[in-house]
Amino acid sequence: MHQPYYDAADVDYWDGEKEDIFGQRQGAYTRYIPEAVWQYIHGGLSHAGLSTSWSGSLIEQLHRCSTTGRANGIFQDWQQALYDVAQQTTAFNHPRVDFTAFGYFHPLMPLMPERDVIGQIEWHRKMIQQTFGISASDVLFPPETAFQVHLIPALKKAGVNVVIYDSIHQFRACQDYPYAGMNEGMLPPNPADQLNPPVDDWLQVDNVWAPSKISPQLLKPCILTYTDHKGEAHDIIGVPAERYLGNEDARGGYGALQYEQVMGQLYDQMLKTNSYDPKHPPFFILHSDGDNYGGGAESYYNSNTGRLVEMCQNDPRFQLVTIQDYLHAFPVDPNNKVHVEAGSWAGADNGDPQFTKWFSMAEQDYSPDLNSWAVLTALQNIVHSVEDSGETGELYQTLRRLLYTAETSCYWYWTGQPVWDGQVTKAANQAWALAGSLINQLIKSKQDNTAPTIFMPWVRPANPGGQTWGNHCLTAAPEEAIFRSFVYDIVGVKSVVLHYFTDNDKTQSIEMEDLGIYPSQTQASIVANQYMVTLPKGTGNISYFVEATDSCGNTTCSPVGYVFIH
């Protein structure tokens, strides 16, 4: 459940369009979830419940509707039914409604700095407690189901112990993954990501949109792992959200997804391949956009939920179980360590590992999306510099709010529409107007203690020397790999270096070329510089990170990435 602020610099902005948007979602934002969960309870499903994510920006606007009468006054005491059902528990005394950890303003977390990931989760946790009278879960549903393993350290620091990810990104990380070609909607997986052992139960699911095969035996909680640039290992429990079943369920729930027929295929495949593990039975989430598409319809939560309850009562093959109850009954095998490639859910241009939905027009001379990332990188460094200077008062709180608002992923979603392409710049310009004099004082005093801000490096082509998109086909990709990033520091950047490691542990470093300030077309007051370096064909399987140093000697490193250069 999410609504962004439609003006990143003015949280009180409202017009007739917003009246319609909120007015059409009264049920989704008030009673639908409670009505579904009470059916679970009255149907005797002792472990059943659901997970739900609510952005802070939505909750704030619903509170404002409640107090001002906006949206024709339909949101007065809007959270009461949710508050009441939130107190209900399962047979294992876990919440029937698990308000998942989330980013307050719906950020695309893999592309955010660690401190902002932590800060947005902490803000969100406070809002959930205040609004629904229950603690936010230690299970994270990342906005857009967008996940990359380098998030693990930040999530653990934020009190998150379990993360939901889209199942296809585990499937594609298997060594024998049966890539389905361009119909899969993504490029072939990069070999650097294919770290998981092969499996033998690939299944083409029928009666559901599923352009690629799935592996039923992999649909269970696992341990996701990440090793940082210092060689320190980090892990977290991962719970798969099944891509194709979730996407079909999102059209309207039971009936839109033929539960028995479709899930029965997974059941039969496990029997056929003898891959059923009674200590860790298959378990997966059906993830849907809760207030959009069929997942926002009353029938999804009412009549179709009733039919789902009847199925669970009468079909012993399937149980509806909360994440927390499953993990209580079936603790994760600590040896089931898994790698997942980066990516999000199918609804975001198929959720590819390149996060293309948020990198639109990136290969052109000017990209509104890259412009917003360049502006945001500069804004992040300015706000972090103010924070590190010891400022804790109203100025810092205002700046941090502008920053977190600017990180809203929606501002990259509708690329090409000026009203969205300029949102990040709006917030950044207002922040600079407020913070500029303090930043100049920090620069003059030479007391800057904040290292440069590095935007997560990206590599193009995604499969150097492999395949890339052609004209309605797959075609040979260029053999060289171009690494790019945005870097910004208030006192100036002294050096930006790409470090990379080969399979034989050979370490190499190469200076990245400063391409200058990104050529913004949104009248931005602050913009980061773009840096680039090219690695030749035949470089092989590498892990890499970027290190940046400012003119005061402050140094930082990006997360580690992986790529195979043929």
Side-chain angles (χ1 to χ4, degrees):
M1 304 294 186
H2 167 62
Q3 288 292 330
Y5 277 112
Y6 288 79
D7 186 327
D10 180 7
V11 298
D12 201 40
Y13 174 73
W14 194 266
D15 60 15
E17 180 190 43
K18 311 308 166 297
E19 283 282 317
D20 291 341
I21 290 171
F22 279 76
Q24 294 166 7
R25 290 165 169 78
Q26 180 184 14
Y29 295 159
T30 58
R31 60 183 177 84
Y32 287 173
I33 286 176
E35 287 169 352
V37 173
W38 282 113
Q39 289 190 73
Y40 304 158
I41 295 171
H42 296 149
L45 305 184
S46 60
H47 297 286
L50 55 78
S51 299
T52 182
S53 57
W54 292 68
S55 69
S57 55
L58 169 61
I59 293 173
E60 287 183 358
Q61 291 179 86
L62 290 173
H63 284 330
R64 197 169 289 119
C65 287
S66 178
T67 57
T68 64
R70 287 175 177 171
N72 294 316
I74 62 176
F75 290 110
Q76 185 175 6
D77 298 325
W78 65 272
Q79 75 270 37
Q80 189 60 54
L82 286 156
Y83 186 100
D84 292 342
V85 79
Q87 316 311 313
Q88 300 299 311
T89 57
T90 66
F92 290 155
N93 204 34
H94 295 128
R96 292 277 192 171
V97 178
D98 207 33
F99 285 90
T100 60
F102 202 61
Y104 196 91
F105 288 96
H106 200 280
L108 199 74
M109 287 184 169
L111 303 183
M112 296 297 128
E114 179 179 275
R115 74 164 83 185
D116 292 359
V117 172
I118 296 170
Q120 291 234 21
I121 292 173
E122 290 177 342
W123 272 31
H124 177 262
R125 183 173 289 120
K126 293 177 182 177
M127 177 61 86
I128 293 299
Q129 180 69 56
Q130 293 169 2
T131 303
F132 302 113
I134 189 173
S135 298
S137 175
D138 68 345
V139 178
L140 174 79
F141 177 77
E144 306 285 350
T145 329
F147 179 72
Q148 197 163 357
V149 292
H150 69 252
L151 278 172
I152 294 174
L155 299 184
K156 297 302 288 288
K157 291 177 183 177
V160 173
N161 294 313
V162 183
V163 64
I164 298 169
Y165 64 91
D166 192 284
S167 62
I168 198 170
H169 300 300
Q170 179 182 356
F171 299 155
R172 286 167 48 92
C174 291
Q175 292 170 8
D176 66 345
Y177 176 69
Y179 176 61
M182 63 179 298
N183 289 334
E184 190 168 298
M186 292 183 282
L187 292 170
N190 189 279
D193 275 317
Q194 295 187 297
L195 304 178
N196 301 326
V199 296
D200 59 2
D201 68 333
W202 295 110
L203 172 68
Q204 183 64 57
V205 184
D206 296 325
N207 293 328
V208 65
W209 174 77
S212 62
K213 294 181 179 181
I214 72 172
S215 169
Q217 69 173 288
L218 298 181
L219 292 172
K220 58 186 174 185
C222 58
I223 303 296
L224 304 177
T225 63
Y226 167 69
T227 301
D228 63 24
H229 72 280
K230 297 178 182 178
E232 297 177 3
H234 308 266
D235 58 44
I236 196 169
I237 294 172
V239 173
E242 211 302 299
R243 161 166 290 222
Y244 299 129
L245 275 65
N247 188 72
E248 193 76 4
D249 184 69
R251 293 197 306 110
Y254 190 99
L257 173 64
Q258 303 294 323
Y259 275 64
E260 296 99 325
Q261 202 283 331
V262 174
M263 293 194 298
Q265 297 174 57
L266 278 64
Y267 181 92
D268 292 343
Q269 182 75 347
M270 299 198 77
L271 293 179
K272 179 180 177 181
T273 58
N274 196 30
S275 56
Y276 178 76
D277 177 4
K279 292 184 179 179
H280 308 96
F283 176 82
F284 53 88
I285 303 301
L286 300 179
H287 52 337
S288 61
D289 203 350
D291 58 345
N292 293 315
Y293 204 33
E298 182 168 14
S299 59
Y300 182 99
Y301 298 91
N302 284 277
S303 59
N304 292 348
T305 291
R307 296 167 66 193
L308 169 61
V309 170
E310 290 177 6
M311 182 201 78
C312 294
Q313 291 170 333
N314 299 317
D315 194 329
R317 295 177 299 172
F318 311 118
Q319 288 191 49
L320 190 61
V321 185
T322 68
I323 295 173
Q324 300 284 15
D325 271 25
Y326 177 93
L327 294 176
H328 177 93
F330 306 104
V332 179
D333 179 357
N335 296 316
N336 184 22
K337 294 188 176 182
V338 164
H339 176 70
V340 295
E341 66 173 9
S344 65
W345 60 4
D349 286 5
N350 291 305
D352 63 7
Q354 295 77 46
F355 297 115
T356 300
K357 183 66 179 177
W358 297 272
F359 279 83
S360 297
M361 304 167 59
E363 311 308 319
Q364 300 182 21
D365 291 339
Y366 178 77
S367 161
D369 283 3
L370 293 187
N371 176 70
S372 289
W373 290 125
V375 173
L376 181 65
T377 300
L379 175 59
Q380 288 163 339
N381 188 258
I382 285 170
V383 177
H384 297 166
S385 297
V386 171
E387 178 183 14
D388 294 343
S389 74
E391 177 72 37
T392 60
E394 183 178 351
L395 172 61
Y396 168 63
Q397 298 303 329
T398 300
L399 293 174
R400 185 160 66 152
R401 183 179 178 88
L402 284 167
L403 169 59
Y404 287 178
T405 304
E407 292 174 342
T408 302
S409 69
C410 308
Y411 300 156
W412 285 261
Y413 206 86
W414 292 284
T415 307
Q417 299 182 32
V419 67
W420 295 105
D421 294 340
Q423 290 292 343
V424 177
T425 294
K426 274 189 174 184
N429 285 356
Q430 183 167 317
W432 178 250
L434 295 170
S437 60
L438 176 57
I439 293 298
N440 288 328
Q441 291 175 22
L442 288 174
I443 295 172
K444 291 178 182 179
S445 67
K446 297 181 180 181
Q447 294 181 349
D448 172 44
N449 298 314
T450 304
T453 300
I454 305 172
F455 180 68
M456 183 67 190
W458 72 97
V459 184
R460 296 294 185 274
N463 289 301
Q467 291 183 304
T468 190
W469 295 117
N471 186 16
H472 303 292
C473 67
L474 291 170
T475 189
E479 296 177 321
E480 293 181 326
I482 300 176
F483 294 73
R484 298 178 187 268
S485 181
F486 296 116
V487 184
Y488 186 89
D489 193 277
I490 63 169
V491 299
V493 177
K494 181 179 179 182
S495 67
V496 179
V497 177
L498 177 76
H499 302 283
Y500 64 98
F501 310 86
T502 61
D503 276 346
N504 59 10
D505 290 330
K506 182 179 180 181
T507 303
Q508 298 194 51
S509 302
I510 183 170
E511 190 91 12
M512 298 185 75
E513 178 185 0
D514 184 356
L515 301 181
I517 296 173
Y518 192 78
S520 177
Q521 296 181 11
T522 55
Q523 291 75 54
S525 300
I526 48 174
V527 188
N529 286 34
Q530 184 178 187
Y531 291 78
M532 181 189 78
V533 71
T534 302
L535 294 185
K537 70 175 183 178
T539 300
N541 194 21
I542 65 169
S543 56
Y544 62 89
F545 66 92
V546 169
E547 180 181 37
T549 303
D550 68 14
S551 61
C552 290
N554 301 305
T555 299
T556 191
C557 297
S558 74
V560 174
Y562 317 90
V563 67
F564 184 88
I565 306 172
H566 293 267

